[in-house]
Amino acid sequence: MDEFESYYPQKPHLVEKESRGNMASTVFSLLLFIITFAWILGGDYSFIFMLVAVLVIHELGHFTLMKIFNYKNVRMLFVPLMGAFVHGKKKIYSQKERALVLLAGPLPGILVGLGCLYFGADTEMSWLLEIGVLFLVLNVLNLIPLDPLDGGQLLKNMFFGKFELVQLIFALISSLAVIVAGWIWQEWIIVGFGFFLGIRVRNIQKLYNIRKDMKEEHLAYVSTYEELSNKDFAGIKQIVMEYTPALKVYEEQAPQEKFDAIIASQVNGVLIAPTKKDASFLFKLVVMAIWVASFAASIYMVLHTNFSTIFNEL
C-alpha cells in the first residue's frame, strides 16, 4: 500500500441497493410494452404475441447464462418501441463468460426460427412461417456488429475491450449507421433510436475523457470500488467533479452524508470492472465461426423456403 495512503480521507461507503421486485417490474414493463404496441398496431394481437415470444426467448437466454455465471441483481425489462434487455453485474468479469452471455440471446432464437421455417414449409402452416421469419429477422439483426446490439458488444468484448478510443469511434459510427438506415427506410422510430444512441455517444465521450485524465494521473481505475485506495479515490473524485460542475454546487448545498453517497456512486461509475482475459485465440475463432454461421444459415433458409402459403392468405 502507498506510504501516504493514511494522509488521504477515508473514501465513503458505496451503497449498492439490491434490486427487489424484479418479477413485478418485468411484468409491468411487459404489460406496458404490449399496451403500447396494441395502441400503435390497432389491436393486432397475433403479431404482438409473436413479437413478445421472440423477445422473451431471446432475453431468457441472456438471463439464464447470467444466473449460471453468478451475476448479481439480474433483471429483465421491456422497453416500448425499443425491445427488451437483461441487466446484471459482477465484480470480476470473464471474456469467455461475457461472450457466451451475449451469444445466448440470439442463438436460441435463430435455431427456433430455422426450425419454424423448416416445419412451416413442410406442413404449409403459415403462422409457423411468420413467427420463423420474425425470430430470424430480430435475432440476426441483433448480431450486426453495431453498438449496443449483441453483435457490437461481442466485437468489443472479443477484440478491443482495452481500446477506449476505438470504442468511442465504434459507438459514433453505430449511431450514424442507425440514423442513416432509418432515413433510407423512412422509419422515424429507427431514426429516433439513432439520435438516442448519439446522446449515449456523448456520455461515452465524457467517460473516455475522464479515463484519459485518470490514466495520465496514474490512478488505478481498473478496480472494484472496494479495492480502490483512498489516494486513488481522492484523485478520481477530483477529476469527476471537474467534468461534472453540478457536483461542486451539490457539495456546497447538500448534507455531507448525501453528497458522500452521490460521489461514491459517481466514482464507481467511471471505474472499469476487472475482466479476466481468458478467451484464447481458438475460442475467439469458434465464436466468430458461430457468428458467421448464424448469418449464413439464416440467409440460406430464407432463400430456400417457399412462402407461398403466406402470400396466398394475403
Side-chain angles (χ1 to χ4, degrees), residues 10-27:
Q10 177 64 40
K11 67 183 178 185
H13 176 66
L14 176 65
V15 179
E16 293 188 283
K17 295 181 180 179
E18 290 287 333
S19 297
R20 297 182 179 180
N22 285 344
M23 181 58 70
S25 60
T26 298
V27 172

Side-chain angles (χ1 to χ4, degrees), residues 172-191:
L172 176 61
I173 292 173
S174 298
S175 173
L176 294 175
V178 172
I179 292 172
V180 171
W183 183 270
I184 292 173
W185 297 331
Q186 296 294 294
E187 294 289 344
W188 305 117
I189 292 178
I190 297 178
V191 173

